[in-house]
Amino acid sequence: MTIHRGIRGLWLGVLTALIVAAAPITAQEPDAGEIDPRLERIRAELPEGVVERVEARLEAALAEGLPVEPLLDKAVEGIAKRVPPPAIAGALDQLAQELGRAQSLLADGVPPTPTDVAAVADAMRRGVPEQAIQRIAQGAGPEEPLAMAVHTMGDLMDRGVPVEQAVSVLEAWRSRGARVEELRQLPAAVDRLMRQGVLPGQAAAAVANAIRGGPPGSQPMLDGQTPGMSVQGVPPIGPGAGPPAHPGGDDKGGGPPDDIPPGGGG
């Protein structure tokens, strides 16, 4: 048993080095010889058979060029919530499949970044259709924040905006130069009109029209009174109806509730 754990510890160190090499460089990146604390916790708190399954999943993800950060985070989240170990392993298998599908959607020439792959997988879990993601991805410029754009589309749909109108808003944003600071304001701009009693799809259409009508470089989203945005002729919601709730989160976006099952396995 001591020899087996020693071999696994050596392998774990190699896996950590690969994860560090594959992860985006940050100011707090661990030293090359330092074992990721998430891996240490997985090994310390899960049964040996589940640990081997998790390690195999991480190794396969690295080999396929998939981001491993979401897998590590999902495993640690399951441990913290006392999810049964087999269910944790099953959740990682499902997440890996979602990441693989997201990667295939973005596989058009330049390999997608791990951040973009993870963002697309999250958007699909939130209900953003694959065809809409492909439309956004195929028109993206080399410096465009694709991950944030896909996330914003999920935020718009959370507010009840239909898919076509959500895509139209993002295409309008792109036509003005794809500015990050504008992108952050799109859901809030839709919210402002919805608070006036405008239906989500009509609010999104008004925002898209206002963006297209503004000169490049201006900031129509930042002052709370979008120039050119008119709600004249837009029928208000009937009495007592009110704007729809945001099923997936708040003004910041937020995803759906955690998808690790409370029990069972995989």
Side-chain angles (χ1 to χ4, degrees):
M1 179 64 72
T2 302
I3 294 176
H4 176 74
R5 287 190 176 277
I7 293 174
R8 194 204 302 173
L10 177 61
W11 183 92
L12 200 58
V14 173
L15 178 62
T16 298
L18 290 173
I19 291 173
V20 169
I25 298 176
T26 66
Q28 297 181 345
E29 181 179 288
D31 295 334
E34 181 181 342
I35 295 180
D36 189 305
R38 292 169 296 183
L39 283 171
E40 288 186 319
R41 185 172 182 184
I42 289 168
R43 183 181 174 190
E45 300 193 35
L46 294 179
E48 183 172 340
V50 174
V51 170
E52 292 174 354
R53 184 174 167 184
V54 170
E55 290 175 352
R57 172 55 63 195
L58 293 171
E59 184 179 21
L62 285 169
E64 296 166 11
L66 299 176
V68 295
E69 293 291 313
L71 296 169
L72 288 167
D73 290 341
K74 178 66 70 177
V76 171
E77 179 186 0
I79 292 171
K81 293 184 176 181
R82 301 186 181 277
V83 175
I88 293 176
L92 261 62
D93 290 340
Q94 179 179 344
L95 178 55
Q97 292 176 4
E98 294 170 354
L99 291 168
R101 180 57 186 158
Q103 184 185 62
S104 68
L105 286 177
L106 300 178
D108 183 18
V110 179
T113 67
T115 299
D116 289 344
V117 171
V120 167
D122 178 69
M124 289 192 297
R125 284 194 298 275
R126 297 172 67 186
V128 179
E130 294 183 3
Q131 295 86 346
I133 292 172
Q134 286 179 312
R135 285 175 61 182
I136 297 301
Q138 288 170 357
E143 302 299 324
E144 186 172 311
L146 178 59
M148 189 183 299
V150 173
H151 180 80
T152 299
M153 183 162 187
D155 288 350
L156 293 172
M157 290 181 61
D158 283 348
R159 286 155 170 77
V161 175
V163 174
E164 282 301 316
Q165 279 85 351
V167 172
S168 178
V169 170
L170 289 173
E171 288 176 343
W173 161 78
R174 176 175 287 157
S175 72
R176 283 174 46 84
R179 296 161 58 94
V180 173
E181 57 269 29
E182 273 190 7
L183 182 59
R184 298 180 189 277
Q185 297 296 323
L186 297 178
V190 170
D191 280 340
R192 285 196 292 271
L193 287 180
M194 288 174 60
R195 284 195 290 269
Q196 298 175 36
V198 181
L199 291 168
Q202 295 164 336
V207 170
N209 290 335
I211 296 173
R212 290 190 176 97
S218 64
Q219 298 182 353
M221 291 293 140
L222 302 182
D223 58 8
Q225 299 293 329
T226 305
M229 183 185 298
S230 172
V231 295
Q232 292 182 355
V234 176
I237 300 174
H246 301 171
D250 53 19
D251 286 351
K252 296 182 180 179
D258 178 70
D259 57 355
I260 295 181

